[in-house]
Amino acid sequence: MNYYVLTLFPEMIENGMNTSITGRAIAGGSLSLETVNIRDYSLSGNGRIDDYPYGGGAGMVMQAEPICRAYEDLVRRLGKQPRVVYLTPQGRVFDQHMAEELAREEELIFLCGHYEGVDERVIEEIVTDQVSIGDYVLTGGELPAMVMMDAIARMVPGVLSNQESGQYESFQDGLLEYPQYSRPEEWRGKQVPPVLLSGHHGNVDRWRRDQSLLRTLKNRPELLTSVELDKKDRKFLQSLLDGGEMMNDTDVSDCTLGGGLTEEEEKFLAKLLAI
Ligand code: ADE
């Protein structure tokens, strides 16, 4: 995967991306990163790339021409026209599906805006995908671009080691991840759930699946409506409604997100199980 980033702050992108797992992938060649400083394409030659908005209002707008010149210079060198992702709170909201889809591209160009945004005409001219990373407003597109590049990179062959690729499975089967524990067995009076020490792989797998279901119900219930629930999943969820005496032969006291269900969660679950 080759990333190209059109930005006013190339050092921010380079410092972020050349760190940790993405940094290792760039050094190892499974990712590449090139930043293009839009300021180098300033019309006046003095580095100015923004101007006042027509119609008035606060803030400045990034002008179309420097951005377009930076883009055209890049695609001329590449000899192809990769997709261009513009980071904006007005875009489609980024998720794991979009990350998987974009990971199939060989090249991606990210356009990072600043100030009050960029002249709409350059978006019409060069942008193929407008993407938001969530319903909040940041000061620029650099952090969102890095969020996207990181999530996409995880799906590029060679970026994660075998050990790493098994981690952080949240969303990959539509559920949130189960809790993890490491040594010691007891920490500040808190015990590791006994089932994890039992050595019984079947019970461990079931406990983890149950915990994923429970976490998803508690934190992101809407995700459960798109998950395929098998007989054992349903039995576990039903046991929560019935007071949680036994959950697939696992005592409810092993449940880390205890405290029972709220009325709202019970209503949601009853409806889900009725389907
Ligand atoms: N630029 C500013 N805020 C943003 C957001 N939430 N997502 C993508 N780009 C942005």
Side-chain angles (χ1 to χ4, degrees):
M1 169 65 73
N2 303 308
Y3 291 139
Y4 302 90
V5 186
L6 308 179
T7 172
L8 291 172
F9 300 98
E11 69 290 351
M12 184 173 173
I13 300 284
E14 277 160 24
N15 289 340
M17 293 299 291
N18 281 311
T19 304
S20 183
I21 292 177
T22 51
R24 184 186 68 195
I26 291 168
S30 42
L31 288 184
S32 80
L33 172 70
E34 181 180 332
T35 56
V36 176
N37 193 339
I38 298 167
R39 213 175 283 289
D40 292 344
Y41 295 85
S42 143
L43 285 177
S44 51
N46 65 1
R48 180 144 186 214
I49 45 73
D50 61 337
D51 211 332
Y52 293 99
Y54 280 120
M60 303 293 271
V61 175
M62 284 171 71
Q63 292 170 291
E65 186 60 17
I67 293 171
C68 205
R69 282 165 55 169
Y71 165 77
E72 283 168 349
D73 196 27
L74 176 62
V75 296
R76 199 176 307 121
R77 281 191 290 117
L78 293 178
K80 46 182 146 185
Q81 294 188 313
R83 282 164 77 170
V84 179
V85 177
Y86 173 50
L87 290 312
T88 167
Q90 277 82 51
R92 254 180 70 204
V93 177
F94 186 56
D95 62 11
Q96 192 68 27
H97 290 294
M98 204 191 291
E100 279 162 25
E101 196 244 322
L102 289 170
R104 288 185 218 120
E105 302 289 322
E106 275 175 31
E107 282 91 20
L108 286 170
I109 300 177
F110 293 88
L111 170 59
C112 305
H114 256 267
Y115 313 113
E116 290 306 299
V118 315
D119 190 307
E120 190 66 22
R121 293 167 295 184
V122 75
I123 299 174
E124 292 166 12
E125 193 70 15
I126 68 168
V127 169
T128 57
D129 302 81
Q130 297 193 48
V131 182
S132 164
I133 60 157
D135 289 340
Y136 41 83
V137 181
L138 300 166
T139 56
E142 283 75 14
L143 286 172
M146 284 194 272
V147 166
M148 287 187 68
M149 287 191 281
D150 188 290
I152 294 165
R154 293 185 66 255
M155 267 153 304
V156 172
V159 169
L160 297 186
S161 67
N162 277 349
Q163 207 190 355
E164 287 160 351
S165 56
Q167 289 178 356
Y168 308 117
E169 288 300 322
S170 287
F171 299 115
Q172 295 200 345
D173 55 5
L175 293 174
L176 302 185
E177 207 201 16
Y178 49 80
Q180 298 275 19
Y181 300 85
S182 184
R183 288 202 291 183
E185 266 180 51
E186 186 192 321
W187 178 79
R188 297 199 178 186
K190 290 174 182 287
Q191 299 286 343
V192 171
V195 61
L196 298 180
L197 310 174
S198 68
H200 190 299
H201 296 303
N203 285 354
V204 169
D205 288 347
R206 188 62 244 168
W207 181 86
R208 287 180 165 167
R209 175 82 181 177
D210 291 348
Q211 290 292 320
S212 284
L213 288 164
L214 186 57
R215 256 192 188 180
T216 310
L217 173 68
K218 290 267 179 195
N219 297 339
R220 298 289 305 279
E222 78 284 2
L223 295 178
L224 278 179
T225 55
S226 346
V227 171
E228 230 179 280
L229 300 173
D230 68 15
K231 241 171 120 178
K232 285 189 170 172
D233 294 338
R234 289 178 162 274
K235 186 177 158 204
F236 167 71
L237 292 170
Q238 187 62 52
S239 79
L240 293 176
L241 275 184
D242 297 342
E245 284 285 292
M246 286 284 272
M247 312 176 314
N248 295 323
D249 306 324
T250 305
D251 193 282
V252 75
S253 58
D254 281 350
C255 203
T256 59
L257 275 168
L261 300 187
T262 65
E263 213 172 296
E264 201 182 341
E265 286 159 358
E266 275 184 14
K267 268 193 204 150
F268 176 87
L269 201 48
K271 221 166 132 186
L272 184 80
L273 293 173
I275 298 169

